[in-house]
Amino acid sequence: MIQGHIESRLQAATTAVLPEADVSRVLVRVCADAKHGDFQSNALMGIAKQRQMNPRQLAADVVSQLDVAEWCEPVKIAGPGFLNFRLRPEAVNAALQIALASPMPFITPAATSRTVVVDFSSPNVAKPMHVGHIRSTILGDTLARVLRLLGHRVVTDNHLGDWGTQFGMLLFGWKTQLDEAALAADPIAELERIYKLINGDEALRDDARAELVKLQNGDEENLGIWQRMIELSQVQFDHVYSRLAIEFDETLGESFYNPKLAGVVEDLISKNIAEESEGAMAVFFPDNAQLADKPAIVRKSDGAANYTTTDLATLQHRLAEWAPDEIVYVTDGRQQLHFQQLFTIFRRWQADAPVRLEHVWFGSILGSDGKPFKTRSGEVVRLADLLDEAQERAYAVVSEKNADLDEAQRREIARVVGLGALKYADLSNNRQTDYVFDWNKMLALQGNTAPYLQYAYTRVRSIFRKVDAPNFSNIILAVTAPEELALAKHLMNFTQILEMVTEDHRPNFLCNYLFELAGHFSRFYEACPVLKAKEETERESRFALCELTSRVLKTGLGAMGIEVTEVM
């Protein structure tokens, strides 16, 4: 990656001028405004300020030691010490030539591979997956995919809610209210019905608690029913995940960690981290201003554990099982306090553990009324129903645009477009903001949407349906026109965008990049004839640029679990 080479040379030149300087923050980034150049660095200004030096003079001294002529035109110093780098066309063509020979063009694997556990989705057993699960599921899957593209080892972990008070109600309802026919027809709906029935009747609470105690004590009948509920729920989960093309390396419920909870609490007590408070065991945070008045209970007064205890045991298991460098938890923003407490306790409990913990939180999906997105009757929207509607709406659009295609083709295109639109609408927003769910906007063929980008891909591929496929191994790239160079340079920034996604856990960076890529391609296609290019070498070079654009579009969308299709 040319950017990385320039950065290394700049760091070396800075060291030559200031041997004692910390050059780890001497970074090179893509220029926000292309008229200034292709890459830029403002790092020398900060170094000069620390040493009370003239920043422009320091920049001049560093540039005098800097050799990037094989890639760049003479480096320009702007303002009080900005360094602007503009790539030479020969360097751009050389980079394109290398990319054309690669199955994954413009992707540079990380210098050091990390092991990252991504904890996402986490539905509850015996409850339907609903619209609230979509952000965690799609965001977590995308982060895992991008990390893998960059060469990291990723463990995707689905932490199921399969234990707790609700199972006492479900067990009692199963034994007294179950409709076997309804269970056979729609297991999750029937489990949801009996739960609501028992939960809504105060007089049945004691009976439900008794069933829960029996379950916790290993009663054979209750364990069998509970296991059946898990199996029925897993069928639902697998169906939804299959439609979304999402896979997990590990699926463990909260129940898996039950045998470990007592040991976790005893260890916290022995290390003077947890202490007795009103009959419960709690952790206090006197040295943390944010948590000083928010203690975390790790064992209730009745002896029961809770989410904090379970998550500590989960952390312990993951460290022993995978020795991760990083664990990423993808949940909604309402759990911020929980993870602040969890991470703080863990750092006191396992102070030497070399693992980075990240809570990647997100906002809510809203309806047009600005309130949480629900059905017209006020019910939570089932995720399976949402996927069905996405495909049906896309089918109506596809049928209108391509009535000549047979139904099977239209159904398949509708599946790709509908599910892609749903995913992209979520990922293209800043994850920490709420967004309004809008079918018309997400299925539009204009603007920053999946259908627009999928159409951009089919538009590129349509060029190759009009000619015999060229032999790209024999093509020599020679981009010279401004629109060609702009497109080529944007393609070359692909790895940096993927790195930004993993650093900040924000897939909207990738969405914006692909949207801009489609715009660059459109301008190139309008200004630079491909099929009617005057010279054969020029035509072949432009074929290669089209091929590289289609590969990056496909890879970039694939990094979000979004498919493409040759026809739309």
Side-chain angles (χ1 to χ4, degrees):
M1 185 172 66
I2 291 178
Q3 180 185 342
H5 295 317
I6 295 171
E7 191 170 87
S8 295
R9 295 280 179 91
L10 179 59
Q11 291 174 349
T14 304
T15 299
V17 175
L18 294 172
E20 78 288 357
D22 175 11
V23 297
S24 63
R25 293 178 179 271
V26 177
L27 306 176
V28 172
R29 292 291 178 253
V30 176
C31 259
D33 189 341
K35 73 181 181 183
H36 297 307
D38 299 310
F39 301 111
Q40 186 178 76
S41 179
N42 62 1
L44 298 180
M45 291 157 47
I47 292 175
K49 184 177 181 180
Q50 290 174 347
R51 289 165 173 72
Q52 297 184 327
M53 299 172 66
N54 181 319
R56 194 173 176 91
Q57 183 59 52
L58 175 60
D61 293 341
V62 169
V63 168
S64 71
Q65 300 290 322
L66 180 60
D67 180 13
V68 290
E70 62 190 282
W71 306 295
C72 302
E73 296 173 1
V75 180
K76 298 288 180 66
I77 302 172
F82 286 98
L83 298 185
N84 291 328
F85 304 85
R86 188 175 299 280
L87 295 176
R88 295 167 57 237
E90 297 88 347
V92 173
N93 283 310
L96 295 178
Q97 204 75 52
I98 293 170
L100 191 60
S102 169
M104 300 294 285
F106 308 109
I107 295 180
T108 304
T112 304
S113 177
R114 308 195 313 273
T115 296
V116 184
V117 175
V118 185
D119 176 326
F120 66 99
S121 196
S122 304
N124 291 312
V125 165
K127 291 184 179 180
M129 290 186 73
H130 55 77
V131 68
H133 290 109
I134 199 165
R135 299 206 78 174
S136 174
T137 304
I138 292 172
L139 176 56
D141 179 58
T142 297
L143 295 177
R145 288 172 183 265
V146 174
L147 284 162
R148 286 188 175 122
L149 271 180
L150 292 173
H152 299 293
R153 176 195 178 213
V154 180
V155 179
T156 51
D157 193 350
N158 196 4
H159 188 76
L160 299 181
D162 69 347
W163 202 250
T165 305
Q166 73 270 25
F167 285 97
M169 300 178 196
L170 284 161
L171 286 163
F172 184 72
W174 182 288
K175 292 179 177 182
T176 61
Q177 303 292 334
L178 186 68
D179 182 330
E180 290 284 358
L183 186 72
D186 189 339
I188 304 304
E190 177 59 8
L191 291 173
E192 187 178 29
R193 183 190 71 81
I194 62 175
Y195 170 76
K196 288 181 178 178
L197 191 68
I198 305 304
N199 188 43
D201 190 339
E202 286 282 348
L204 302 177
R205 292 293 176 87
D206 287 341
D207 293 315
R209 287 192 195 96
E211 295 296 342
L212 179 63
V213 171
K214 287 168 66 179
L215 174 68
Q216 293 170 337
N217 289 335
D219 178 80
E220 201 167 308
E221 181 188 15
N222 280 14
L223 282 171
I225 296 171
W226 170 75
Q227 189 61 48
R228 179 90 189 282
M229 292 178 189
I230 292 174
E231 291 167 358
L232 291 169
S233 298
Q234 193 63 54
V235 171
Q236 174 213 195
F237 301 154
D238 290 345
H239 177 67
V240 170
Y241 293 138
S242 175
R243 293 181 68 181
L244 292 171
I246 289 171
E247 297 179 354
F248 291 93
D249 301 305
E250 188 75 275
T251 298
L252 292 174
E254 294 168 351
S255 60
F256 174 81
Y257 302 98
N258 275 348
K260 308 172 189 293
L261 302 186
V264 168
V265 175
E266 291 307 316
D267 205 22
L268 293 174
I269 294 170
S270 69
K271 292 180 178 178
N272 297 317
I273 297 171
E275 58 187 87
E276 193 274 333
S277 176
E278 299 180 10
M281 297 305 301
V283 178
F284 292 85
F285 310 94
D287 301 326
N288 188 312
Q290 288 183 306
L291 302 176
D293 60 343
K294 300 177 180 68
I297 294 174
V298 293
R299 188 168 68 201
K300 300 176 185 177
S301 57
D302 62 2
N306 61 8
Y307 287 126
T308 302
T309 329
T310 302
D311 279 349
L312 287 167
T314 305
L315 256 170
Q316 189 179 48
H317 169 79
R318 287 170 175 167
L319 290 177
E321 191 74 13
W322 301 302
D325 300 290
E326 182 177 1
I327 302 176
V328 176
Y329 297 83
V330 186
T331 79
D332 70 62
R334 292 172 296 179
Q335 296 190 43
Q336 288 179 79
L337 173 61
H338 168 72
F339 283 102
Q340 287 171 5
Q341 293 174 326
L342 177 70
F343 295 170
T344 304
I345 295 171
F346 178 76
R347 288 299 173 205
R348 287 162 63 181
W349 181 38
Q350 309 268 1
D352 298 328
V355 62
R356 177 184 173 191
L357 303 176
E358 291 282 345
H359 180 211
V360 177
W361 61 272
F362 50 83
S364 301
I365 303 176
L366 307 177
S368 57
D369 58 359
K371 297 178 181 178
F373 184 50
K374 293 187 177 180
T375 65
R376 289 180 180 176
S377 61
E379 297 293 315
V380 173
V381 179
R382 282 194 175 201
L383 188 48
D385 294 340
L386 195 68
L387 302 185
D388 289 343
E389 185 168 359
Q391 290 184 214
E392 285 304 317
R393 285 176 176 266
Y395 178 72
V397 174
V398 172
S399 296
E400 182 183 343
K401 302 275 184 189
N402 286 300
D404 55 323
L405 296 176
D406 64 47
E407 182 173 350
Q409 283 181 294
R410 282 181 280 140
R411 287 288 178 193
E412 176 58 13
I413 294 170
R415 182 190 67 79
V416 171
V417 172
L419 299 183
L422 195 62
K423 290 183 177 185
Y424 193 90
D426 195 285
L427 296 168
S428 61
N429 287 280
N430 180 336
R431 62 173 168 81
Q432 292 180 337
T433 61
D434 300 340
Y435 76 92
V436 175
F437 193 92
D438 185 334
W439 283 117
N440 292 329
K441 182 179 177 182
M442 71 175 63
L443 287 166
L445 282 167
Q446 297 82 33
N448 191 5
T449 67
Y452 170 74
L453 294 177
Q454 289 166 322
Y455 179 71
Y457 174 82
T458 63
R459 185 182 179 194
V460 180
R461 299 313 304 169
S462 69
I463 294 168
F464 298 107
R465 289 198 293 273
K466 299 170 185 175
V467 295
D468 292 333
N471 184 349
F472 290 111
S473 62
N474 294 333
I475 287 178
I476 303 299
L477 278 127
V479 302
T480 55
E483 294 81 7
E484 288 179 306
L485 284 166
L487 173 58
K489 290 174 180 179
H490 192 76
L491 287 167
M492 291 166 63
N493 293 335
F494 189 35
T495 282
Q496 190 205 0
I497 294 299
L498 296 176
E499 289 172 347
M500 289 171 60
V501 170
T502 63
E503 287 167 9
D504 291 348
H505 308 108
R506 295 185 189 277
N508 59 302
F509 294 159
L510 177 56
C511 295
N512 293 338
Y513 168 85
L514 294 176
F515 179 58
E516 291 169 6
L517 174 59
H520 279 297
F521 179 79
S522 182
R523 288 186 288 276
F524 151 74
Y525 193 69
E526 290 172 8
C528 304
V530 178
L531 296 171
K532 296 183 179 180
K534 294 179 181 178
E535 303 290 337
E536 183 178 355
T537 54
E538 184 179 62
R539 181 169 61 253
E540 289 186 340
S541 179
R542 288 174 180 172
F543 277 146
L545 205 49
C546 292
E547 172 69 13
L548 288 169
T549 299
S550 71
R551 289 192 207 170
V552 171
L553 278 170
K554 184 175 183 178
T555 303
L557 288 169
M560 294 181 279
I562 297 173
E563 299 173 67
V564 292
T565 179
E566 296 291 318
V567 180
M568 274 183 69

